Amino acid sequence: MSTRETERALAAAVAAAGIAAMIWWPATGEAPAEPEPETEEVVVEEVADPDPEPVAEDEPIVEEEPEPEPGEEPAGEPPAPPILDDAGIEFTWMPAGDLIEESGTGQILQINYAPDMRFPIEAGQAYANSQVYGYGGYLGPAGGQCNAANYAYSWRDNFCETRGYGTPMCPTGHGHQGQDIRPASCTDGVHQAVAAADGTITSIGSYSVRLMSDDGVRYTYLHLDKPSLLVAPGDHVTRGQVIGMVSNEFGDTSTTIHLHFEIRMAVDTGGSIENTNVPPYLALVDSYQRLLEGEDS
């Protein structure tokens, strides 16, 4: 085939394709898809921040303490164990100045006038209370002096009990001057009274023994059994030494079986220094506790 004939055939083919396209496109309503242009992939390189912000470290997690349940008390020191006497009974005592009702007006100063004193009865079982206002006393309830209520705790002060003795340390200016102490049992002449301190026996009366300590404090013991006394005026005694036996001696008469104990020293009585009887109650409480706890043999 000649060149011209070839060109004519090619032209005819192109024309036929155009006619076919015109016939097909209106029928479908869609234009023939055009090929998507090729795009180059753009690679973005990350550039390091010259001043990076510091990264915060995680804070430690603090666990909160659980709150106590309602009504739950915070843990504290355990209560002190009770102090037991020689019979295994718990020792208890009323506050200083708390007298039996209608027996007087007490001295409520909380002062231990003889903190190093030895308890004046040898054994660790005794009962400080009133002889006059207790059972068997002439102003007490009906009953005998050996009533069990007289030989039971709690202890009770009776230094300022209503009496006719001049007692400047009491609110009324009068009182009992000392403290009554019953021994372990209602038995005459078997319970030992001992020296409260190192000192000298200065006098012995019909029912009294007086001991002047080496540091100038005078201790008085009343109602000891006179035939049983183991000391004489002028004797030097040591703390805890037996003096005699607790009894009911009272001159020509008798009283209940007990030790009346006094402490006398120079003190300020409210404007002046006076040598007078001072409340022995707290010194007795303290020395009795030490005796029960084994600090004094």
Side-chain angles (χ1 to χ4, degrees):
M1 184 180 290
S2 63
T3 303
R4 183 171 293 279
E5 289 177 350
T6 302
E7 290 177 351
R8 286 179 181 174
L10 182 61
V14 171
I19 294 170
M22 291 176 64
I23 295 172
W24 176 82
W25 180 65
T28 63
E30 294 181 1
E34 296 182 0
E36 295 182 1
E38 294 183 2
T39 58
E40 294 184 0
E41 183 179 354
V42 179
V43 178
V44 180
E45 294 184 359
E46 294 184 1
V47 180
D49 190 344
D51 296 313
E53 294 184 2
V55 179
E57 295 183 0
D58 293 338
E59 294 184 0
I61 300 174
V62 179
E63 296 184 1
E64 296 183 357
E65 293 289 336
E67 295 185 0
E69 295 292 330
E72 180 181 345
E73 294 292 335
E77 294 185 2
I83 298 175
L84 306 180
D85 68 9
D86 287 357
I89 301 171
E90 181 180 358
F91 168 53
T92 59
W93 50 282
M94 304 292 286
D98 186 342
L99 276 57
I100 292 176
E101 188 176 357
E102 298 183 357
S103 70
T105 303
Q107 171 56 272
I108 61 174
L109 291 177
Q110 304 296 302
I111 299 175
N112 180 347
Y113 288 96
D116 298 322
M117 182 187 82
R118 204 278 191 197
F119 189 65
I121 295 180
E122 189 274 332
Q125 189 179 1
Y127 306 95
N129 53 43
S130 175
Q131 305 302 303
V132 170
Y133 288 88
Y135 289 94
Y138 70 90
L139 293 177
Q145 64 165 318
C146 296
N147 190 293
N150 291 339
Y151 292 85
Y153 301 114
S154 297
W155 276 19
R156 201 149 197 176
D157 186 1
N158 78 323
F159 176 71
C160 290
E161 207 168 65
T162 300
R163 305 288 183 90
Y165 308 112
T167 314
M169 296 298 287
C170 289
T172 64
H174 293 80
H176 177 216
Q177 296 189 328
Q179 175 67 44
D180 291 335
I181 312 167
R182 300 180 199 263
S185 66
C186 188
T187 312
D188 185 16
V190 299
H191 302 288
Q192 297 175 330
V194 300
D198 294 347
T200 303
I201 303 299
T202 58
S203 67
I204 294 178
S206 59
Y207 59 92
S208 65
V209 175
R210 289 189 168 91
L211 164 64
M212 180 65 74
S213 74
D214 292 342
D215 56 2
V217 177
R218 192 184 80 179
Y219 299 100
T220 298
Y221 300 70
L222 302 186
H223 316 305
L224 299 184
D225 178 46
K226 198 165 185 178
S228 72
L229 292 181
L230 301 176
V231 293
D235 287 352
H236 189 273
V237 295
T238 58
R239 188 175 184 275
Q241 181 178 331
V242 178
I243 294 175
M245 302 297 178
V246 179
S247 183
N248 61 354
E249 292 258 358
F250 199 23
D252 295 334
T253 61
S254 63
T255 181
T256 56
I257 299 168
H258 73 285
L259 170 65
H260 170 102
F261 183 76
E262 299 177 4
I263 301 176
R264 188 180 183 91
M265 62 174 61
V267 293
D268 186 345
T269 59
S272 62
I273 302 299
E274 188 173 348
N275 193 27
T276 187
N277 291 70
V278 298
Y281 186 69
L282 289 180
L284 289 166
V285 169
D286 179 57
S287 61
Y288 189 62
Q289 287 179 322
R290 285 187 278 108
L291 178 64
L292 298 184
E293 291 175 336
E295 296 180 30
D296 277 321
S297 59

